[in-house]
Amino acid sequence: MSKVLLKVNNLKKYFPIRTGMFARVTGHVKAVDDVSFEVYEGETLGIVGESGCGKSTTGRTIMRLTEPTEGKIEFDGTDLTDLSNEDMRKIRREIQMVFQDPYASLNPRHTIEKILEEPLIVHGMGDGAERKKKVMEYLKIVGLSEYHAKRYPHQFSGGQRQRVGIARALMTNPKLIIADEPVSALDVSIQAQVLNLMKQLQEDLKLTYIFIAHDLGVVRHISDRVGVMYLGRMVELATSESLYDKPLHPYTQALLSAVPIPDPEFQGDQMLLTGDIPSPSNPPSGCTFHTRCPFATEECKQKAPNLREIKPGHSVACHLYNDQ
Ligand code: SF4
């Protein structure tokens, strides 16, 4: 087993809801509610769920782009929750993010060269000539050419812009990349190219990924393990093989039913997810999935299930497996 690079313990992120003239706090949106998981060096952990399930907030909280309400985040032996802003700024050299919309995250007035050089300047890495050399090297690494350096973001296609976004994340030689829906805005044909590039870079540069997506189909081929989130909680966490072969949580089963199955002979049950996702400011009691779950019982309405390992490498939070 590889070493644990990131350890997230009982992470919570509650956003206050303020109302009235005095902006009094009248409630909280529980975006992330007691989430724990580990990420091993060199692996890809996929985090999946519908929009509003807390997956992006989890990613941003690990980077402390948004401050956690409670919990501990340990990266490579350092407790990030204890770090000063200055120390956290330094450690961001080793944890980088790739965003869904590279157009929004790339300064439109800067050339690609300037965009890629910026993280090196921020972290005081190299002199002018060394930085320029590295920009050219990383343009090639992500499948672009040196002549692209003088161009501006609007002169690129969506797929090329995401390659720039990936190159920018790699400039500081990070160990961990948190990719938040990195292919969701791209055409399906381009998605495969970008996913293949990320896989190749992971091998070549020994990277560790957290790959956030709303679609289980997208993370399937890139993830070693997958965590499924629902209303701020991790409801299932398993190796990809085990999760796609035999999903245990009814929510995961429903999400997988929504993924088109390329095999016309497929005889498995299709389970459709009905109803809207409840508001995280007022989540249902007990198991928060009970309002949409076809197997819900009285116990489910009253008691929240804990995430438990049911078989090696496969954990689930569901009362259906209480006896196992
Ligand atoms: Fe459904 Fe109950 Fe399991 Fe929740 S605990 S997923 S409501 S069966």
Side-chain angles (χ1 to χ4, degrees), residues 6 8 37 58-64 73 80 88 178 210:
L6 180 78
V8 173
F37 59 89
T58 301
R60 294 179 60 83
T61 311
I62 291 169
M63 293 280 289
R64 279 187 49 199
I73 302 158
L80 300 189
M88 193 60 218
I178 301 175
I210 294 180

Side-chain angles (χ1 to χ4, degrees), residues 249-251 287 289-290 293 295-297 300 305 317-320:
H249 198 283
Y251 177 58
C287 170
F289 188 56
H290 84 252
C293 180
F295 311 108
T297 63
C300 303
C318 173
H319 292 310
L320 288 177

